[in-house]
Amino acid sequence: MSKILMKGNEAVAEAAIRAGCRLYFAYPITPQSELIEYMAKMMPKVGGTFIQAESEIAAINMVYGAAGVGKRVMTSSSSPGISLKQEGISYMAGAELPAVIVNVQRGGPGLGDIQPAQGDYFQAVKGGGHGDYQLIVLAPSSVQEFADLAADAFDLADKYRNPVMILADGMLGQMMEPVEFKPAKTQEELDALANQHLSWCICPNADGDAKHHHEINSLELDPEILEKKVSKLYEKYAEVEKNEVRYETYNLSDDNEILCVAWGTAARVVKSAINELVAQGKSIGLVRPITCWPYPYEAIASAIGPKVKKVYVFELNSGQMVEDVMIAVNGKVPVDFWGKLGGIVFTPADIQAKLEACF
Amino acid sequence: MTTEMICAGFGGQGVLTIGRFLAQAGMKEGKNVSWLPSYGPEMRGGTANVSTVISDGPIASPIVSYPDVLVALNQPSLDKFGPMVRKGGVIIYNTNMCPRGCNRDDVQLIPVPMNDIANEIGSSIVLNMLAIGIIIGKTGLVKYETIEDELKSFLQEKNPDLLDKNLQAIKKGIEIGKQYTSVK
Amino acid sequence: MQVIAKRPETLTAEPFTYCPGCTHGIATRLIAEAIEEQGLINLMAGVAPVGCAVFAYKFFNFDMAEAAHGRAPAVATGMKRGRPNMHIFTYQGDGDLAAIGTAEIVHAANRGEHISVFFINNAIYGMTGGQMAPTTLAGMKTTTSPYGRNPEDIGYPIRMCELLSSLVAPYYIERVSLLSPGDILRAKKAVNKAIQYNKEERGFTFVELISTCPTNWGFDPDKAREWAKENMLPYYKLGVYRDKGAGVE
């Protein structure tokens, strides 16, 4: 299959359809509107369901319903809309429902602006909704990866019966890059997907079978039982932490004097700056978390080479990931941070200047 | 080799298309490409710009700090992006809408009355194709044939007359761009 | 031994959690009977609300989803679109449906979702202990309208059947009451019709059931029914507001 030049917003939608997603519910918001528009155009062509919901809240609850009947389902939005979805996300985590949520982040807080930002890290990784739960959070840094992670997100959601968030930003949504898609699921595979959750999901009783009574539910008024249920969730999360940590390393070596940590769009810009400085004979490495949860703590810890004098975190926010980096570094070397706010994407020149000042 | 380019102008002048066709052609020729537009309210009649990167290697940042090539279709774009162009880079600008011009002397300036030429060819909407022609005439970034194929697949059925005018504009642009290849 | 009455197969053995004398139990049973009578036990699924019927997912003997407060119509939409061969209903109270979930019910109705909605209107928030509902009558005292509902301040009670009747898509809208044996028989017919239309994939069906809340109203069940007849029925007029199957537009 040849490469297609596509916007990230469209590529993630196409990849989701290829991964067997046939239900999509969302509400328009910049800068993710190409995603909802792509779904509006393509879902009818593949016999899928597209609904432009009356609100983000309705959309996420439609997702709850569709996930409850055991089908692959997705919603997408940008930061303010993702805030509205938090109620439903918490309920889905509590009811252990698989679904994929795409956040094409923009500047905040509040209405903020519509430029690319990474200010929803805490919301995605540390909570967002109420209660003790975790989302699996995947952070792409190219259009290709945006598309690839869509397919992976559905697999992870199904495997762990947990909502998965793809945490992108306006730049990844709006930019075009060549993308090569995985082959679409065959009818056989689609049928298998449609039936994979029959042991727990809402589904008809087959004739002659023992009657089932499946409940999609996060309510449990008995504290003892609720504690057991939530503890079980955390056993599941421990499995995710054990199996699903993903990250990319760039230019890591024992000669590194600075170790950078950056995710998503920010990591791309940092790579450019590293390239410039490597050409000048400096040695700087980068760890890019691909899963923001589960977080690659060990990868960062083990990337601190003997000559590293500082770990430098670059984000398009006020330093939300720094806490995780500090946990990983655990006092071994100083951790510094620099970022841009308000939807401004730092340039390679900005990062280059910050890194040069370390030498 | 990596070529980083910014194209900027008024919304409606077709700057996004300049970047898109070049990125598409670069991809067809087996290169890595990225195309990053400005978006939002500024697209509704204001200024628009697009950063395009075409590279033999992987593209790190799609954000362009120091463009190798700037195409400025109006004065505000030239004023904004002109100072960012890498030393030794190229600034192609539309003299019809850039009355003050550009005062850099460490880059190569290619001033072209693009509106006049586009109108001579028969339509102001071919202005962006003229710009593509100038870029590839000057830099050899992608082949004319690749752009022609792209345009044909896009326009041959829908509007053969416009296709013809577009191809004329590209050829004219290449002619202009080539005049600057020997000059430094 | 001859069986004269028994629990429908569509109900589990789980005891109802409704207060003594409350008409929720009647509504729950009527819905269960209708589903059994339409032979839908293997194809039906329901959505429970937040409110007095929050445990409805335990009562119905088929697959059930518990929705967030007010979101049942959106959840039902996702379920129906995900498994179109199943039949879906929601069971919602007045706070759930007519306050926090107003957008969801209006738009599910407006899309003409092929679901049935059973709306229990007892003019009060029961589960949380007797606060004002969007359907609380003018002048009626509750814990959050201790001086009586003042329409000048907080507006008049919302009439959902009338409101939804302004939409083009809904197929069937009827208001019934559970205040007397005769009313209950009429309510049973309405609930049956909604489930039948649901089975036949006719479109969006909505039945409002005027109910009592003896506990929070502070009356015994008999007095509560009398109070509702005198005070609620003049404002919430019973009848068919829409029945495309019978030519009532």
Side-chain angles (χ1 to χ4, degrees):
Chain A
M1 152 123 219
S2 63
K3 290 188 172 179
I4 307 169
L5 191 64
M6 242 180 166
K7 283 194 167 196
N9 280 336
E10 295 173 339
V12 71
E14 175 63 28
I17 291 171
R18 284 165 182 266
C21 174
R22 290 294 181 274
L23 293 141
Y24 171 85
F25 308 99
Y27 186 88
I29 182 170
T30 307
Q32 68 85 52
S33 290
E34 293 84 359
L35 208 171
I36 182 171
E37 286 163 2
Y38 193 88
M39 288 298 199
K41 197 168 85 184
M42 297 309 291
M43 274 301 188
K45 292 187 182 173
V46 294
T49 293
F50 164 84
I51 294 181
Q52 179 172 330
E54 60 271 27
S55 69
E56 310 287 2
I57 298 171
I60 195 71
N61 281 285
M62 291 173 189
V63 169
Y64 178 99
V69 299
K71 298 298 180 74
R72 287 199 156 176
V73 57
M74 181 164 113
T75 186
S76 64
S77 189
S78 178
S79 308
I82 295 291
S83 291
L84 280 171
K85 290 186 197 292
Q86 292 303 329
E87 174 195 65
I89 292 173
S90 169
Y91 277 67
M92 283 197 289
E96 295 195 79
L97 293 179
V100 175
I101 302 138
V102 179
N103 182 359
V104 183
Q105 292 170 96
R106 58 188 249 186
L111 208 44
D113 65 15
I114 55 172
Q115 298 306 316
Q118 299 184 316
D120 303 349
Y121 182 89
F122 277 149
Q123 186 192 52
V125 171
K126 307 289 176 186
H130 58 281
D132 288 296
Y133 74 93
Q134 280 291 348
L135 295 182
I136 298 171
V137 181
L138 308 175
S141 78
S142 68
V143 171
Q144 180 68 56
E145 195 177 28
F146 205 176
D148 291 344
L149 289 181
D152 294 350
F154 282 104
D155 290 341
L156 288 168
D158 284 330
K159 181 175 173 188
Y160 294 103
R161 279 186 64 183
N162 205 68
V164 176
M165 179 173 284
I166 303 179
L167 195 57
D169 63 57
M171 194 179 94
L172 286 167
Q174 293 296 321
M175 75 185 288
M176 284 206 274
E177 283 187 307
V179 55
E180 197 170 351
F181 291 105
K182 293 174 183 163
K185 298 270 184 223
T186 61
Q187 191 54 49
E188 212 172 38
E189 289 170 321
L190 289 174
D191 293 343
L193 286 177
N195 293 323
Q196 65 179 324
H197 295 308
L198 293 183
S199 65
W200 60 264
C201 77
I202 287 176
C203 55
N205 275 293
D207 284 336
D209 282 7
K211 219 186 123 27
H212 61 250
H213 176 85
H214 295 159
E215 290 173 6
I216 303 303
N217 179 30
S218 59
L219 176 72
E220 178 48 67
L221 290 186
D222 183 330
E224 305 288 334
I225 299 175
L226 184 58
E227 187 189 38
K228 281 201 186 85
K229 275 184 72 173
V230 180
S231 300
K232 256 192 84 187
L233 285 183
Y234 275 80
E235 285 167 24
K236 175 173 87 176
Y237 299 151
E239 279 296 299
V240 178
E241 285 178 304
K242 205 171 77 190
N243 303 330
E244 309 299 346
V245 173
R246 293 192 206 183
Y247 55 92
E248 181 198 359
T249 60
Y250 190 74
N251 204 45
L252 277 196
S253 85
D254 281 349
D255 292 329
N256 287 162
E257 291 188 62
I258 304 288
L259 176 68
C260 299
V261 185
W263 58 283
T265 285
R268 285 185 74 128
V269 183
V270 173
K271 277 188 195 172
S272 279
I274 290 175
N275 291 348
E276 291 275 347
L277 291 169
V278 164
Q280 296 172 20
K282 299 190 168 75
S283 181
I284 303 169
L286 167 74
V287 178
R288 175 175 73 89
I290 296 171
T291 49
C292 290
W293 195 90
Y295 195 78
Y297 294 109
E298 282 169 33
I300 291 171
S302 61
I304 305 171
K307 295 183 188 163
V308 168
K309 50 189 179 191
K310 179 154 119 180
V311 172
Y312 217 147
V313 183
F314 296 102
E315 295 181 83
L316 303 173
N317 61 34
S318 58
Q320 300 188 16
M321 187 182 67
V322 175
E323 292 178 9
D324 281 325
V325 175
M326 286 174 115
I327 292 170
V329 174
N330 200 18
K332 234 163 122 184
V333 292
V335 175
D336 205 350
F337 167 78
W338 188 73
K340 290 295 269 179
L341 300 170
I344 299 171
V345 180
F346 42 55
T347 63
D350 294 333
I351 303 298
Q352 198 182 322
K354 291 288 157 194
L355 290 172
E356 269 168 350
C358 302
F359 286 89
Chain B
M1 203 188 84
T2 299
T3 304
E4 300 186 315
M5 189 165 44
I6 290 178
C7 306
F10 288 126
Q13 280 184 309
V15 291
L16 300 190
T17 312
I18 297 175
R20 182 164 183 169
F21 268 94
L22 289 170
Q24 192 95 31
M27 182 182 77
K28 286 278 155 69
E29 293 180 7
K31 291 173 177 147
N32 291 302
V33 301
S34 70
W35 176 94
L36 176 67
S38 59
Y39 59 88
E42 63 178 319
M43 298 293 291
R44 316 268 184 261
T47 59
N49 70 79
V50 59
S51 299
T52 308
V53 183
I54 300 180
S55 178
D56 299 321
I59 294 168
S61 173
I63 298 167
V64 175
S65 297
Y66 312 116
D68 302 297
V69 179
L70 167 67
V71 178
L73 299 186
N74 62 11
Q75 189 72 51
S77 302
L78 187 54
D79 293 347
K80 183 173 177 189
F81 297 108
M84 292 164 59
V85 175
R86 204 180 276 271
K87 200 175 158 187
V90 179
I91 298 180
I92 298 163
Y93 67 95
N94 176 12
T95 53
N96 294 119
M97 300 187 90
C98 298
R100 290 196 306 280
C102 176
N103 59 5
R104 296 259 320 244
D105 56 9
D106 57 347
V107 298
Q108 187 172 20
L109 298 177
I110 305 185
V112 183
M114 295 190 196
N115 286 76
D116 293 347
I117 297 172
N119 287 333
E120 273 166 32
I121 292 167
S123 168
S124 63
I125 65 167
V126 303
L127 190 146
N128 55 2
M129 292 299 143
L130 178 69
I132 288 178
I134 301 169
I135 295 165
I136 62 178
K138 164 64 193 161
T139 64
L141 192 58
V142 294
K143 295 190 190 79
Y144 165 77
E145 291 74 19
T146 319
I147 297 272
E148 189 188 68
D149 284 352
E150 286 295 318
L151 263 176
K152 276 186 176 162
S153 67
F154 196 60
L155 278 177
Q156 195 143 45
E157 311 250 298
K158 268 196 281 185
N159 196 337
D161 181 49
L162 185 62
L163 173 66
D164 193 47
K165 287 200 173 73
N166 274 320
L167 294 178
Q168 264 187 60
I170 297 172
K171 284 176 187 156
K172 178 71 189 167
I174 291 174
E175 210 177 283
I176 296 168
K178 278 192 170 154
Q179 291 168 14
Y180 289 86
T181 47
S182 49
V183 195
K184 190 74 199 174
Chain C
M1 192 172 68
Q2 192 193 356
V3 176
I4 295 168
K6 68 176 181 70
R7 190 176 73 241
E9 213 192 318
T10 42
L11 286 177
T12 63
E14 188 76 21
F16 286 172
T17 44
Y18 306 124
C19 301
C22 165
T23 46
H24 258 297
I26 298 169
T28 303
R29 182 170 175 116
L30 291 183
I31 295 164
E33 286 177 355
I35 292 164
E36 182 173 56
E37 285 162 27
Q38 296 292 336
L40 285 178
I41 188 166
N42 288 321
L43 286 173
M44 202 79 195
V47 186
V50 172
C52 293
V54 69
F55 291 120
Y57 64 86
K58 295 183 182 179
F59 305 151
F60 289 103
N61 190 23
F62 38 77
D63 291 0
M64 292 289 294
E66 168 61 40
H69 200 21
R71 317 298 177 218
V75 172
T77 297
M79 289 164 64
K80 180 66 183 172
R81 299 298 183 112
R83 289 204 184 267
N85 63 332
M86 292 192 78
H87 301 279
I88 313 292
F89 75 92
T90 73
Y91 185 112
Q92 301 178 259
D94 39 39
D96 193 84
L97 183 138
I100 197 167
T102 318
E104 284 78 7
I105 187 60
V106 167
H107 286 274
N110 194 46
R111 287 190 301 268
E113 290 296 337
H114 286 206
I115 60 172
S116 297
V117 174
F118 299 106
F119 171 43
I120 311 300
N121 178 1
N122 57 11
I124 205 157
Y125 280 64
M127 188 181 72
T128 45
Q131 294 82 11
M132 187 182 71
T135 50
T136 290
L137 296 173
M140 187 173 163
K141 285 184 182 171
T142 70
T143 59
T144 52
S145 57
Y147 311 109
R149 179 181 186 140
N150 176 8
E152 296 300 314
D153 184 42
I154 201 73
Y156 288 87
I158 294 181
R159 291 188 272 225
M160 287 308 295
C161 285
E162 288 85 335
L163 196 148
L164 294 178
S165 296
S166 74
L167 304 174
V168 177
Y171 191 84
Y172 172 60
I173 299 171
E174 181 166 358
R175 183 184 286 125
V176 295
S177 92
L178 300 172
L179 303 178
S180 71
D183 286 343
I184 291 169
L185 287 176
R186 279 183 286 277
K188 183 176 166 67
K189 272 178 68 181
V191 170
N192 257 318
K193 188 177 244 182
I195 295 292
Q196 186 197 325
Y197 283 159
N198 188 320
K199 182 182 177 183
E200 294 165 0
E201 296 290 350
R202 303 276 193 114
F204 180 84
T205 54
F206 184 91
V207 179
E208 175 174 341
L209 302 107
I210 299 294
S211 303
T212 61
C213 183
T215 301
N216 287 299
W217 290 358
F219 302 135
D220 67 49
D222 282 342
K223 174 96 192 293
R225 282 193 292 275
E226 289 314 308
W227 186 90
K229 280 181 204 165
E230 281 166 30
N231 296 282
M232 288 184 76
L233 296 189
Y235 189 81
Y236 297 112
K237 297 267 190 315
L238 304 184
V240 177
Y241 287 80
R242 175 76 55 81
D243 187 349
K244 289 186 182 176
V248 183
E249 292 280 338

